[in-house]
Amino acid sequence: METIIKTTTVTLFLFLLLFPIVFSTPNDQLIRIGLKKIKIDRNNGLAAHLDSKEGEALKASIKKYGLHGNLGEPEDIDIVALKNYLGAQYFGEIGIGTPPQKFTVVFDTGSSNLWVPSSKCYFSIACYLHPRYKSGRSRTYKANGKRADIQYGTGAISGFFSEDHVTVGDLVVKNQEFIEATREPGITFLVAKFDGILGLGFKEISVGNAVPVWYNMVNQGLVKEPVFSFWLNRNPEDDIGGELVFGGMDPTHYKGNHTYVPVTRKGYWQFDMGDVLIGDQTTGLCAGGCSAIVDSGTSLLTGPTAIIAQVNHAIGASGVVSQECKVVVSEYGETIIDMLLSKDQPMKICSQIGLCTFDGTRGVSMGIESVVNDTAGKENGILSDAMCSVCEMAVVWAQNQLKQNQTQERILDYVNQLCERLPSPMGESVVDCDGLSSMPSVSFTIGGKIFELTPEQYVLKVGEGEVAQCISGFTALDVPPPRGPLWILGDVFMGQFHTVFDYGNLQVGFAESA
């Protein structure tokens, strides 16, 4: 079983609905999926409807859910999706069957299956609000019948596999295995503006071991090169949403050369990333390297809480005060600093002071539980988890400050301020729209090159004038070693950097978007 975390944060929604214009250019043999944006006024009835109903559904979906696939162990932690959040959803139109039945899908590099609603979906209201695939109307349909289940925290998408031709632009992928969804949970899909999902990840994470659409494009010789690329337009005033190109890349979409890094783990488009900088200062945790995933199905940037708290502090974002964090600083802050000064190994400090258990590479929660199986005992266990986690963060923060030759008093004050900036349970952080000019840049080191995001690029503005509110494009996700620390580089990043997914050479490339 491959476990995937799908986390969706909710505050103020701005939906840019994207409808496709699909065309090909014979002279360059590229298949282009054009995306058009339609901005919705959040003061109108539809926006209010989305804010209330879908907001509640997505709050529930912050829970972990398992994706029952064909590889990996239950403890594997993989991906995050923040679809429908503040920025854009990137839709494209495909056809299934002969003649083609049209569906609007999310092109998602963070999953690998194609699914759409089925005409045999009788008991989910969501199915009746979207086009449904009707196998009896297709001359090229082939029965399969293998069951498919995707488990969510708020329910499940269930259905069965079928085979049919899939049309993407001018390409016709023959005998493509896909899921006919016969059950779709709750409000999330009820109000979704997409009908289904077309996954562009690797087969390793495909439910039912189905061959992904992209693999069949390559295997059937339908594309010039085994490469696809995304150009996402982040200009909210521009009707052009961007372009997804199959078979190569369009030179008009980027400036200069791409920086390529190898895929380190097939499944998601995962690679090794270096340090994360706020201004020109290291944030510490990724100085020795972190893993990263680039995902077109994720709107924001997610990263370790220890770094997100530093970013929030630097940009003045308001989060939720962590009392556990302040307790650790109050009771153990001076001890942590003394141990760092004594050259103790940072990864052992929290276990040495009794808040974690050292597992040979890092501190882990001791999972203390009461002998009596009652509520108080469970709360003690949760508290132990929190204390270990914030201790690990406090060590990183203090270590960074010591490298800058700060005094003990200033270090403790700074760490307490970071406690104030820990992200809220839903992950959202609000910033002052008038303060953009004073905020620092945030940069990522990829392939030895610095990729910088300015405040205007990582802050998402909702509304205009006095009612405008600004949301940090960063949200927290903690993935432990060996898979983490892990970053998810979503649309906030991809919007600034044209992204190439090179399947033939198993690498991803980034260049400044044009």
Side-chain angles (χ1 to χ4, degrees), residues 15-21 33-40 84 87-93 103-107 193-195 230-236 238-243 296 299 491:
F15 283 84
L16 305 178
L17 305 184
L18 304 167
F19 295 91
I21 304 171
I33 309 297
L35 305 172
K36 184 177 179 181
K37 294 189 291 190
I38 298 178
K39 195 161 70 171
I40 289 183
N84 294 344
Q89 269 188 320
Y90 292 87
F91 297 117
E93 188 176 83
F103 298 92
T104 297
V105 296
V106 174
F107 291 100
K193 296 304 173 183
F194 59 89
D195 305 319
F230 276 88
W231 168 67
L232 305 183
N233 187 356
R234 301 298 283 179
N235 182 355
D238 199 335
D239 287 340
I240 299 173
E243 195 170 71
S296 62
S299 294
D491 296 342

Side-chain angles (χ1 to χ4, degrees), residues 141-147 160-163 177-178 180 208 210:
Y141 163 75
K142 293 181 181 179
N144 180 308
K146 181 173 58 179
R147 183 172 177 81
F160 58 91
F161 282 96
S162 292
E163 293 180 24
E177 195 171 11
F178 68 100
E180 291 192 48

Side-chain angles (χ1 to χ4, degrees), residues 478-489:
D478 291 304
V479 177
R483 292 301 304 272
L486 180 70
W487 280 85
I488 313 297
L489 306 182

Side-chain angles (χ1 to χ4, degrees), residues 335-348:
T335 301
I336 289 172
I337 294 172
D338 289 342
M339 294 176 78
L340 286 170
L341 290 171
S342 299
K343 306 299 182 183
D344 285 6
Q345 296 182 47
M347 70 287 295
K348 291 185 177 181

